[in-house]
Each structure stands twice: as C-alpha cells, then as structure tokens.
Amino acid sequence: ATAAASVSAAAKPSIGGVTADQAVVDQLLGMGFTENACIKGAIHGNNDIEEASNWIFSHIDDADLNDPLPSEAAGGFRVGEKIEARYRGKGSYYPGKIGQVNPDGTYDIRYNDGDHEEGVRAELIRSKEGGGGGGGASLEAQRRASYDERIKKAEEAAAAAKRQAVGSINGSMDAGGEDES
C-alpha cells in the first residue's frame, strides 16, 4: 500500500490539496521551464496556464524554484528532530527543532535562539540527525548533485527554446524578404 501511495503521489504532485494538472505542466515544460517549476506554477496558478506562467515568472529568481515539492523532498522530519532551516527562506541555515508536522507537508520550526516559524517547506530544512555517521552530509551532497543536474537540464531546455524561437523569427524574416523580390 505504501509503494502504491508513493507512485500515486509522484504521479499527481500537490500542495495544500491542489493537484497539478499534467496538461498544464506539459505546456509549461514546452516553454522551457524545469519540471519542478512547472508543477509549482500549475499548482499555485490553479492549473490555469496564464496564471501558472505568471507565477513562475514572478518567482524566477527564487533560490528554491527548482527544488522538489515537499512530498518529493527527502523531508520526512519528525517532531523534536534537530534540524537546520533557512529562516524565512533566506540563504543561511539556523539550528532548531521540528515543533509540528503540518498536513500540507510543511513544518513549524522552533529555532534555538527562541524564534519560531510556521509553514516551512521541507526543501528549506536539513536534518542534523544524520543517523549513521555523516548520512546527513551524504544526503545533502546527493541533493546538491540532483539540483545541479536539474539546473543544467533547465538551462539546456531554455537554450533550445531560444534557438527555436530565433529560428522561427529568422524564418519569418526570410519569408518576408522573398515576398519583396
């Protein structure tokens, strides 16, 4: 039953109960965005292609745009687990503990300095309980390698889309030039 649930969750990614429409994701992929960005755009854009693409463009500089969704991330954190999290999504990690696991796949964090944060996405958290001497560091290295590979693919897709667009424009200009002869 667990394996079936994993396949089902992977096939229909969702955030907060909203599921990404595969047709919208496919259209966004055709525009050269990464798969994770497309899924997030579809969900946050309520599966409307225009709203989804606008959402992606408005988040294009977000450091975590291409990160996996919480359900796909290695997450699985538990209450009381020692972690480090990127406070308010910024670049630095701060030590704390998981205070609550939320139904939408986010976490409430109690930071060691006394601050707290609610609704933190799993991709902004890393465990300090590597379990097995350095497993956490290894997992972090795997995540980084996976992220780097996704970035490379996204850049290649964007370059291909740009070449295709330039080719279309050049083809149109060539066709226009022939009409004048």
Side-chain angles (χ1 to χ4, degrees), residues 129-136:
E129 299 177 5

Side-chain angles (χ1 to χ4, degrees), residues 121-133:
R121 296 183 316 271
E123 63 263 22
L124 299 176
I125 305 169
R126 60 186 179 197
S127 178
K128 293 304 290 176
E129 299 177 5

Side-chain angles (χ1 to χ4, degrees), residues 47-116:
N47 291 312
D48 176 271
I49 189 66
E50 185 174 346
E51 286 184 37
S53 61
N54 287 339
W55 186 91
I56 293 171
F57 282 120
S58 69
H59 291 83
I60 203 76
D61 292 326
D62 291 2
D64 62 350
L65 176 65
N66 298 305
D67 290 350
L69 294 175
S71 61
E72 297 173 353
F77 303 106
R78 65 187 187 293
V79 172
E81 183 173 351
K82 292 179 183 179
I83 53 90
E84 288 182 331
R86 290 174 32 201
Y87 183 72
R88 301 210 187 277
K90 307 242 177 176
S92 298
Y93 283 87
Y94 298 94
K97 288 185 179 182
I98 301 293
Q100 179 174 318
V101 178
N102 300 315
D104 65 356
T106 63
Y107 300 87
D108 295 352
I109 308 293
R110 292 187 317 255
Y111 292 98
N112 292 355
D113 66 1
D115 208 343
H116 69 280

